[in-house]
Amino acid sequence: MPKLRLAWILAALPIAALPQSTGIDAARISPTLYFPSAAAELESRNSLHARVERLAAEIPSAAPDALPALLDTVEQTTIALQRHSAYLRMLTLEDRSDQAARAAGDAVSADRSVLNATLTARLRQVPRDEIPSLGRYARLAELAHEDVQTFSPDAQRYRTSVTLPAMGSIAAAYGQLRMGDEQAPPVAASLLATLIDLQNRDAIAQGYPNAAARKYLSLQLSDALIQKTLAAVEAEAAVHREYQLLTARKSPAPPRMSLDEARRLILDSFHPLGADYTSRFAALLDPANGRLDLTGGNHRARTGTSIAVYDAPVAFFYTGFDGSLASISTVAHEGGHAIHREFMNVGGHPIYQRSGPNYLFEGFAIFNELLLLDHAARTATTPEGKANATEQFLRKLSHELFDSAEETAFERSLYTAAVGHAPLDRAAVDRIYRESIAPYESSLPEAVDSRQWMRKSLLFEDPLYLVNYLYAAVVAVALFDRVQTDHDFAARYQTLLRRGFDADTDALLASMDIRLEDPNLVKAAAARMRAKMADLHQ
Ligand SMILES: [Zn+2]
């Protein structure tokens, strides 16, 4: 008994008190990484705001021959604004109660939005045949033309006065729900049904069959592709059911690692990504460079995130590092976002080409986790360590691929089933949920617990976002597949990272011989899961 009790006490201790030598105390973002002092930041921010106001007044009436130079000025101003965003973000991550930094950050974002909106409006006035003369900003002008709202004036008014505020109230009401209350499921169902109805009407007013189809197109995907991918994942669902039966067993966690050991493990696993990638990652993870913060503690945001900036070192902040393999995997993921941004900065494409569909960002980051967990399993020095890493690899892959497929199938069915019908009720949502997950589950109760779908907050807060996770998984397993066989992988992958988003996603992925609709990608992932499960039985 006393022994058990001691173990319990140790487990309950705050994480920071456990491994004395994790080395995380030294891991802090340097306060002078972006500005020499707070006073210098403030002075620069004030003069930048005045510059934004002058530009916003100048842009709408800018003469055609003045546009190229003006676009360069807007670009430089955007880069400068982002450096302030990064600095202020760092302050709010380090101290959640810093209201002044939060308000200043909001003001900088507002300046950036004003600049964007004004510029987009001006670019729409550029006649199509003059767009090529804009050089590196030509694609931005094309996107501005494509983006024109297709709503009728009436539909636009309805959208502004009804749809958008109602969506905000639905997300807020969801936030107030107590999951344990008996009344919560019917209320959640009616919130969800109202949201779906609003979204579908809004999409139909724009000429789409439903809101799901609209969202998929905005992500450079299509409903036909989603159906193909879901069918491909469903065809391999047996491996997920086998995995579920296996999860009852759980190997003991190996000893926690110090930051130095974690760093070495990460860098070793990234060997297939090339020397440039690993040396950049090494620099990010070196506390002496003041670009990473792992210290945790009171007042600090509990999150993992990279801090985006275009003309200074990218930084990375994470509060959950405890030396466990799971937390090292998160470092590989979040640090991957930072290094991706760094490569885009080195690539030097215009700022508008350094953002794109979320599933690509996430796919690159999840790929890092697969590399890490696979490497940890292959190089573990004890049977327990090998089993633990193998289990974590399996959990990661099955969660990203199969749980995401369930969620995407569920949300898509909700939106397609609701078109042209009365809003869904709780029984209908429960039924659609049950049908959507049935192919993937090894055992399914007669009646589903509504709380299972109620807890998926993105359904209520960011409609149709979940599909991003499915394609992030597809991209990650595709890269993991290519890295095993492509001898030129490192060079091609680096080229891809540097390009940012200078082309459509299809073209970007084609440069790695990846096609999202290729069913073999899912087959290969399922085969890999089977092999890993066989490793566990040895
Ligand atoms: Zn991420």
Side-chain angles (χ1 to χ4, degrees):
M1 270 312 266
K3 216 175 162 188
L4 189 76
R5 210 185 159 88
L6 180 65
W8 182 84
I9 291 168
L10 279 177
L13 275 178
I15 281 158
L18 262 177
Q20 278 300 328
S21 57
T22 48
I24 61 173
D25 291 341
R28 274 190 175 274
I29 296 175
S30 160
T32 57
L33 191 60
Y34 299 126
F35 291 96
S37 69
E41 189 274 335
L42 179 62
E43 199 194 322
S44 155
R45 181 169 12 116
N46 286 337
S47 67
L48 196 54
H49 176 67
R51 199 207 299 181
V52 169
E53 292 199 317
R54 280 196 306 274
L55 274 169
E58 200 180 317
I59 292 169
S61 55
D65 59 348
L67 258 186
L70 195 56
L71 279 157
D72 277 332
T73 308
V74 170
E75 178 86 348
Q76 292 315 316
T77 310
T78 304
I79 291 170
L81 285 169
Q82 186 58 33
R83 188 186 268 251
H84 287 275
S85 289
Y87 175 82
L88 297 163
R89 178 104 194 282
M90 179 183 88
L91 293 185
T92 52
L93 286 167
E94 288 175 349
D95 181 0
R96 278 176 300 157
S97 64
D98 190 340
Q99 294 304 334
R102 194 174 303 276
D106 289 348
V108 172
S109 303
D111 273 349
R112 192 158 170 189
S113 306
V114 166
L115 213 47
N116 265 337
T118 320
L119 186 65
T120 305
R122 178 64 189 83
L123 289 176
R124 279 182 191 145
Q125 310 298 317
V126 177
R128 288 262 183 194
D129 59 339
E130 286 173 24
I131 286 180
S133 71
L134 296 177
R136 67 201 301 248
Y137 303 105
R139 190 169 153 84
L140 182 64
E142 275 159 24
L143 294 170
H145 277 266
E146 274 171 29
D147 235 28
V148 180
Q149 293 286 3
T150 48
F151 291 103
S152 69
D154 269 357
Q156 183 62 53
R157 263 193 296 281
Y158 185 81
R159 170 169 239 248
T160 317
S161 62
V162 179
T163 310
L164 296 178
M167 282 176 59
S169 339
I170 287 167
Y174 174 77
Q176 302 290 315
L177 279 182
R178 285 161 205 252
M179 293 291 151
D181 276 4
E182 225 168 87
Q183 277 314 299
V187 174
S190 95
L191 288 174
L192 186 55
T194 309
L195 178 62
I196 292 167
D197 196 51
L198 282 166
Q199 282 273 317
N200 273 344
R201 283 170 192 275
D202 191 56
I204 288 165
Q206 241 185 326
Y208 296 93
N210 59 61
R214 175 175 67 180
K215 178 70 172 195
Y216 301 153
L217 282 177
S218 79
L219 293 170
Q220 302 172 30
L221 305 165
S222 69
D223 192 55
L225 173 66
I226 309 290
Q227 291 194 61
K228 263 191 208 164
T229 304
L230 288 174
V233 181
E234 205 181 308
E236 299 296 336
V239 74
H240 183 249
R241 294 193 299 269
E242 285 162 40
Y243 166 71
Q244 284 184 320
L245 297 173
L246 198 93
T247 50
R249 86 176 247 182
K250 199 173 175 224
S251 302
R256 294 182 175 178
M257 289 187 199
S258 68
L259 180 56
D260 261 358
E261 291 168 317
R263 230 179 113 199
R264 217 166 308 133
L265 179 68
I266 290 174
L267 298 178
D268 284 350
S269 2
F270 290 170
H271 186 73
L273 305 184
D276 194 9
Y277 193 101
T278 44
S279 66
R280 287 177 190 281
F281 219 103
L284 178 71
L285 293 188
D286 184 349
N289 293 329
R291 295 169 56 194
L292 96 156
D293 190 318
L294 299 172
T295 52
N298 293 333
H299 310 300
R300 299 164 78 79
R302 299 197 165 275
T303 186
T305 182
S306 70
I307 297 172
V309 57
Y310 303 121
D311 62 343
V314 181
F316 140 67
F317 176 100
Y318 173 41
T319 31
F321 182 78
D322 61 2
S324 67
L325 187 56
S327 74
I328 298 170
S329 185
T330 304
V331 173
H333 178 117
E334 299 297 341
H337 285 314
I339 299 302
H340 178 202
R341 292 186 190 286
E342 186 170 312
F343 269 116
M344 289 198 285
N345 290 346
V346 174
H349 289 281
I351 302 305
Y352 74 92
Q353 292 179 1
R354 297 187 214 176
S355 57
N358 263 328
Y359 59 85
L360 269 190
F361 280 94
E362 293 309 322
F364 297 157
I366 294 167
F367 169 49
N368 278 4
E369 291 191 84
L370 295 179
L371 281 175
L372 174 89
L373 296 171
D374 179 57
H375 180 80
R378 283 189 290 106
T379 57
T381 49
T382 63
E384 297 79 29
K386 184 180 167 68
N388 183 275
T390 306
E391 284 163 9
Q392 294 203 42
F393 179 95
L394 280 165
R395 194 177 318 144
K396 182 90 226 158
L397 187 48
S398 71
H399 169 68
E400 300 296 351
L401 193 55
F402 291 99
D403 295 351
S404 302
E406 281 187 6
E407 287 172 338
T408 298
F410 173 50
E411 197 169 27
R412 177 182 176 278
S413 297
L414 286 173
Y415 280 84
T416 50
V419 170
H421 295 279
L424 305 167
D425 58 11
R426 179 186 176 185
V429 177
D430 280 351
R431 178 179 50 74
I432 292 171
Y433 183 67
R434 194 176 191 282
E435 286 168 5
S436 308
I437 68 168
Y440 303 98
E441 299 293 316
S442 57
S443 71
L444 199 64
E446 264 315 300
V448 303
D449 180 354
S450 303
R451 285 182 183 79
Q452 289 185 328
W453 55 260
M454 276 170 59
R455 289 210 174 87
K456 298 180 190 296
S457 55
L458 281 172
L459 290 175
F460 301 84
E461 290 163 354
D462 199 347
L464 292 155
Y465 183 85
L466 286 169
V467 68
N468 276 292
Y469 291 113
L470 177 62
Y471 285 94
V474 172
V475 168
V477 302
L479 290 169
F480 193 70
D481 192 58
R482 296 294 181 265
V483 78
Q484 324 285 334
T485 50
D486 182 353
H487 295 299
D488 207 20
F489 184 90
R492 295 169 84 185
Y493 188 51
Q494 260 186 46
T495 307
L496 174 66
L497 294 182
R498 280 171 196 254
R499 284 178 74 172
F501 298 85
D502 66 347
D504 286 349
T505 341
D506 281 352
L508 294 174
L509 290 171
S511 73
M512 303 295 299
D513 292 328
I514 295 170
R515 289 178 307 115
L516 288 177
E517 67 272 23
D518 178 2
N520 291 320
L521 294 176
V522 180
K523 267 193 197 125
R528 216 166 292 283
M529 279 184 72
R530 281 219 167 78
K532 290 279 185 205
M533 286 194 281
D535 284 350
L536 281 181
H537 287 304
Q538 276 173 5

